[in-house]
Amino acid sequence: MIYNYYNLEEDVPKDEFVDNVIEELLKQIQDEKKIVTANMYTEKTQMDSKEREHEGRAINNLVFCEKRGRKYYTCLKFSRKERIKTEIKKGDLCLLTVNDKEINCEINDINSNSVIVCTGEKIPKIRKNDLAKIDLMLNETTFRRWETNLLNLNKNGKKALKFYKNKIATKTDNKNKKIKFINTSLDKYQKQAVKRAVNSNDFFLIHGPFGTGKTTTIIELILQEVTLNHKVLVTGESNIAIDNILKKLKRHAKINFTRVGTSDKIPDYLKPYTLDYKIKDYLEDNRINDVEKLKIEEEILKHSQVILTTNSSAGSKSLSNIQFDIAIIDEASQATIPSVLIPINKAEKFVLIGDHKQLPPVIFNNDAKYLKSSLFEELIKKYEHQSQELLIQYRMNTMLLSINWNPNPELFNLFGISIRYYGLLWAVGIFFAYVVVHYQYRDKKIEEKKFDPLFFYCFFGILIGARLGHCLFYDPGYYLSHFWEMILPIKFMPDGNWKFTGYEGLASHGGTLGLIIALWLYCRKTKLHYMDVLDMIAVATPITACCIRLANLMNSEIIGKPSDVPWAFIFERVDMQPRHPGQLYEAIAYLILFFIMIYLYKNYSKKLHRGFFFGLCLTYIFVFRFFIEFLKENQEDFENNMMFNMGQWLSIPFVIVGIYFMFFYDRKKKVA
């Protein structure tokens, strides 16, 4: 339907109207900053520093490195060996605590293992290697970009404010653009939304509840705009929203798109599409100055058909001189007006996508009426004819959808000793294996005294092998230069002290090799046939492997890749992105293998040749391990450029050995 409106020019309000709205928004932003700062101070006194770091609002155990004086301020550099993962970023206002002295500061620079802060305050005496911590007081960058953008609104941003106040009408839609859908599986509502958005002149609104395919609709809209040779800006209120779009967009290899934003917050498998990655790939020599870097950024972004970033980062220096034909803004119902005005200000028209019946913007100042309402919500009330609702629900199983997973790794604390799920499940797995193997020894009438030392050989063989496997397979450079951290469950601190950490990193391939070697030593001592012992251990191994993977699940480690399957887990300790629960897949697979092993042993042990159970165990576990790796995140960055990751390459020889023992080894002899 075509809507005819009154003449736009006759009813355009004076600029004073826009100026008044901007003035009120700026005032409310200042009030919000004061309240957020006060809340941060309160939180700092109520939350443990470890909890704050876990939430991304603190950085602990920093070591002072150097002091750089300036005319009006001082820069202080801190570092630590552990990787810094935090929400704190350049430009944020923080509280630095060193030697029990608190100093107000601003983040000047931050990377994976160091932080530089600036302060205009008098600096207390600080010595090298003094420990410090940083607490976030205010995300200054976001507020600053809001304010800067409001003070520099062009005709696009000002027009959006007039729409917001219902002071002007939209132009008549252009119905001449033909649509040939690239994704022909879209439902009729999704197709209508794309068609109407492409043909709109000023703005368009797409809304629908969770599971109605808003992201799928966004992808089709992007493709259609690119087909029209339009430059597209795609933004959202969160990094997760943008990365979900990028995950689907990357399937369209012919499109030149670039992800702009902080690399630390972007999953490893998406980093090749980021601006930072492309800059490094652009040059052979990474040692470039800021001027050269800006020129390269400009060149990359100039040739990018689609640029994806958060609403806030759309106001970054990298995008300051780039204009777009259209801005597509996801999660628009959760964004404040100053936030969405940043991408809107950079485009000739905009499309807002969201669900106005769900979460509004998070604002602490109850009196900030302009900030508490979203532009999306206000426009959909006043311009319903410029919207399309998505009505078909594709995710009906709300009970299982996106399981939030964030258990405390510590089960309880006993007299200062931490009892963790990880260690407990390892112990349970070994206990079950002990029971199963002990049963086989009695069944085969093997002397009890030969069984007694078996546990110790297995335990230390698995532990030493798994530890050495992790260190040498995945990070040999670090551990060969930190030898004692490879052998002992400790970590040496930058100040020269050490702390007990437990063994952080165990590799199943190394554990398997360690077990095989340990059993060889055991058999030399007890004079038992090596393959008979391996077969007995193989029957019990799957239940132990199942418990170990459940231990990994409780630790939120060895996580799967992002996924929209109904049973996806959100590992809150890692990020807020739904992922495959790879640990659970493996645990279930190994439990099934255990039942298969018990069945075969009970019914066919005397008919199967020596080495069969050992071969079946290796083949089943490592074939499954090879394929499950496609659904799991790589453990180390160096694996990202490999055809198969390290776990897959290491699985292949085990599968070959397993097949040999299943089908070719000692076929004429039966198990005793």
Side-chain angles (χ1 to χ4, degrees):
M1 185 182 294
I2 298 175
Y3 291 84
N4 295 310
Y5 288 93
Y6 49 83
N7 188 299
L8 180 65
E9 300 299 324
E10 291 179 358
D11 291 272
V12 173
K14 296 180 180 180
D15 286 341
E16 287 85 7
F17 164 75
V18 173
D19 293 340
N20 290 336
V21 176
I22 292 173
E23 186 179 346
E24 183 59 31
L25 281 169
L26 290 170
K27 181 180 178 301
Q28 292 184 15
I29 290 171
Q30 288 297 320
D31 292 340
E32 179 70 9
K33 285 167 69 174
K34 292 176 183 176
I35 295 173
V36 171
T37 303
N39 288 346
M40 287 289 185
Y41 273 104
T42 303
E43 181 190 272
K44 181 179 176 297
T45 61
Q46 295 178 347
M47 283 182 71
D48 180 80
S49 58
K50 289 182 179 179
E51 293 178 301
R52 282 180 56 78
E53 178 160 354
H54 177 70
E55 296 295 329
R57 295 195 289 275
I59 309 172
N60 303 317
N61 301 318
L62 289 166
V63 178
F64 175 65
C65 300
E66 60 181 293
K67 176 180 175 182
R68 305 171 187 171
R70 298 289 189 271
K71 188 175 180 180
Y72 300 108
Y73 60 89
T74 304
C75 286
L76 304 172
K77 184 178 181 181
F78 301 87
S79 68
R80 73 181 193 188
K81 287 185 178 181
E82 295 92 344
R83 183 177 174 83
I84 297 174
K85 291 185 176 181
T86 184
E87 296 294 317
I88 300 172
K89 56 185 176 291
K90 185 177 179 179
D92 286 346
L93 300 182
C94 296
L95 190 67
L96 170 68
T97 306
V98 58
N99 295 334
D100 296 325
K101 301 282 187 177
E102 294 184 342
I103 307 165
N104 291 305
C105 63
E106 181 178 327
I107 303 296
N108 182 261
D109 194 22
I110 185 168
N111 54 46
S112 60
N113 59 5
S114 68
V115 184
I116 299 175
V117 301
C118 288
T119 180
E121 295 188 23
K122 185 178 179 182
I123 306 297
K125 188 176 181 181
I126 309 177
R127 298 165 296 183
K128 280 195 174 182
N129 297 326
D130 278 350
L131 288 176
K133 69 171 183 173
I134 292 172
D135 288 280
L136 179 65
M137 290 293 106
L138 182 68
N139 186 340
E140 178 68 19
T141 304
T142 298
F143 287 110
R144 187 183 295 149
R145 285 173 177 169
W146 287 4
E147 292 169 334
T148 302
N149 187 68
L150 284 169
L151 293 170
N152 294 278
L153 280 187
N154 59 24
K155 61 181 179 66
N156 300 322
K158 291 179 178 179
K159 188 192 290 185
L161 283 180
K162 293 171 183 176
F163 285 131
Y164 165 59
K165 284 296 187 178
N166 201 21
K167 295 295 182 179
I168 56 175
T170 59
K171 295 178 182 177
T172 302
D173 289 348
N174 178 5
K175 295 296 182 180
N176 296 323
K177 296 174 185 175
K178 303 294 183 181
I179 299 291
K180 184 179 180 180
F181 290 101
I182 296 166
N183 182 359
T184 55
S185 64
L186 294 176
D187 65 50
K188 64 180 182 179
Y189 302 105
Q190 293 169 333
K191 287 180 177 178
Q192 188 73 359
V194 172
K195 184 178 179 181
R196 294 183 65 193
V198 169
N199 284 285
S200 63
N201 284 290
D202 298 309
F203 69 87
F204 194 74
L205 312 168
I206 301 173
H207 64 105
F210 184 73
T212 52
K214 292 191 289 292
T215 302
T216 302
T217 307
I218 290 171
I219 298 298
E220 181 67 25
L221 178 57
I222 293 170
L223 298 176
Q224 293 294 337
E225 292 291 340
V226 170
T227 303
L228 296 169
N229 292 320
H230 288 167
K231 196 170 184 72
V232 183
L233 175 63
V234 183
T235 70
E237 194 64 6
S238 68
N239 283 288
I240 293 174
I242 297 304
D243 291 335
N244 282 337
I245 296 170
L246 178 56
K247 180 177 68 174
K248 292 188 177 183
L249 187 62
K250 71 184 181 71
R251 301 169 187 170
H252 303 274
K254 293 182 179 180
I255 296 178
N256 187 343
F257 52 86
T258 302
R259 171 74 160 94
V260 176
T262 307
S263 297
D264 286 346
K265 297 182 180 181
I266 298 170
D268 288 341
Y269 73 99
L270 294 178
K271 284 183 179 176
Y273 307 101
T274 63
L275 180 60
D276 290 343
Y277 190 97
K278 289 185 178 185
I279 291 172
K280 292 178 182 178
D281 200 44
Y282 200 93
L283 296 171
E284 294 182 2
D285 186 0
N286 291 326
R287 292 171 297 179
I288 56 173
N289 58 43
D290 290 342
V291 176
E292 291 172 321
K293 184 181 177 183
L294 284 172
K295 287 181 179 178
I296 296 166
E297 283 183 356
E298 188 177 324
E299 187 69 16
I300 294 170
L301 296 174
K302 179 182 175 183
H303 291 94
S304 297
Q305 298 164 289
V306 183
I307 293 174
L308 305 98
T309 189
T310 60
N311 293 333
S312 177
S313 293
S316 64
K317 187 182 290 185
S318 302
L319 300 176
S320 58
N321 297 318
I322 302 177
Q323 286 295 309
F324 298 84
D325 296 293
I326 182 172
I328 300 171
I329 304 165
D330 194 17
E331 294 184 334
S333 61
Q334 301 174 36
T336 64
I337 292 172
S339 180
V340 296
L341 281 177
I342 297 175
I344 287 173
N345 206 41
K346 305 182 76 63
E348 290 300 313
K349 76 172 184 180
F350 61 92
V351 177
L352 304 182
I353 301 100
D355 182 8
H356 58 290
K357 297 177 182 178
Q358 298 298 321
L359 293 172
V362 178
I363 297 296
F364 296 96
N365 183 8
N366 293 325
D367 297 326
K369 61 178 183 178
Y370 284 173
L371 295 183
K372 288 180 74 69
S373 65
S374 68
L375 182 67
F376 183 80
E377 184 179 6
E378 294 301 317
L379 291 183
I380 210 164
K381 290 178 185 175
K382 298 162 184 172
Y383 302 90
E384 189 177 353
H385 57 274
Q386 285 293 111
S387 71
Q388 176 66 53
E389 185 176 8
L390 307 180
L391 294 172
I392 298 178
Q393 173 65 252
Y394 292 96
R395 300 181 188 177
M396 301 300 293
N397 194 344
T398 57
M399 293 290 291
L400 287 177
L401 189 62
S402 297
I403 301 164
N404 283 57
W405 188 255
N406 190 27
N408 187 344
E410 185 179 272
L411 182 60
F412 59 87
N413 196 290
L414 186 64
F415 304 114
I417 301 173
S418 175
I419 307 300
R420 303 171 72 87
Y421 281 105
Y422 189 82
L424 180 64
L425 284 164
W426 262 86
V428 169
I430 292 172
F431 171 76
F432 279 133
Y434 176 93
V435 172
V436 172
V437 175
H438 196 201
Y439 169 83
Q440 293 178 88
Y441 266 65
R442 292 199 306 268
D443 185 53
K444 296 177 183 293
K445 297 181 172 52
I446 301 172
E447 301 174 80
E448 189 74 21
K449 67 179 182 180
K450 291 185 177 181
F451 175 76
D452 292 337
L454 179 63
F455 170 81
F456 298 97
Y457 278 91
C458 291
F459 179 83
F460 288 105
I462 294 171
L463 180 63
I464 295 171
R467 180 58 179 168
L468 293 179
H470 172 80
C471 298
L472 299 177
F473 295 155
Y474 291 96
D475 201 358
Y478 176 82
Y479 284 105
L480 289 175
S481 60
H482 297 77
F483 180 77
W484 290 111
E485 290 186 22
M486 179 166 57
I487 303 299
L488 301 173
I490 63 173
K491 190 171 188 66
F492 290 101
M493 308 304 292
D495 59 0
N497 293 320
W498 60 271
K499 66 176 182 179
F500 178 82
T501 59
Y503 289 114
E504 296 179 327
L506 299 169
S508 58
H509 301 88
T512 304
L513 283 173
L515 176 63
I516 291 170
I517 295 169
L519 290 177
W520 177 75
L521 294 171
Y522 165 80
C523 290
R524 286 191 63 183
K525 180 177 175 64
T526 59
K527 307 302 180 185
L528 291 172
H529 196 289
Y530 184 48
M531 290 311 305
D532 286 346
V533 176
L534 283 179
D535 277 334
M536 288 189 286
I537 295 294
V539 174
T541 293
I543 190 64
T544 305
C546 172
C547 290
I548 291 170
R549 283 297 179 251
L550 290 176
N552 296 137
L553 180 66
M554 299 306 295
N555 260 13
S556 297
E557 60 189 7
I558 317 179
I559 59 173
K561 290 182 177 178
S563 173
D564 56 0
V565 295
W567 54 86
F569 275 48
I570 296 176
F571 295 97
E572 295 184 10
R573 293 174 61 194
V574 180
D575 54 29
M576 294 302 293
Q577 195 159 353
R579 296 175 177 275
H580 282 291
Q583 319 95 319
L584 193 57
Y585 296 162
E586 287 193 72
I588 293 170
Y590 301 153
L591 185 62
I592 292 170
L593 176 60
F594 175 68
F595 289 129
I596 293 172
M597 286 289 198
I598 295 297
Y599 175 80
L600 291 175
Y601 180 83
K602 284 278 193 182
N603 297 282
Y604 299 98
S605 62
K606 293 186 174 18
K607 299 178 182 179
L608 295 169
H609 64 271
R610 180 176 275 150
F612 177 85
F613 286 104
F614 175 64
L616 174 61
C617 183
L618 286 184
T619 305
Y620 183 107
I621 286 178
F622 289 105
V623 165
F624 189 86
R625 176 71 187 273
F626 181 90
F627 287 105
I628 196 67
E629 289 293 324
F630 289 114
L631 300 179
K632 291 160 61 178
E633 292 283 12
N634 292 329
Q635 296 187 51
E636 302 293 337
D637 290 339
F638 73 83
E639 298 176 279
N640 296 332
N641 298 320
M642 298 168 63
M643 181 173 68
F644 299 128
N645 66 25
M646 182 60 76
Q648 290 172 309
W649 282 115
L650 292 172
S651 295
I652 293 172
F654 284 100
V655 173
I656 294 171
V657 172
I659 291 172
Y660 169 75
F661 279 98
M662 275 185 75
F663 298 106
F664 303 104
Y665 176 83
D666 211 16
R667 288 293 306 268
K668 294 180 181 180
K669 299 178 182 178
K670 306 294 187 250
V671 178

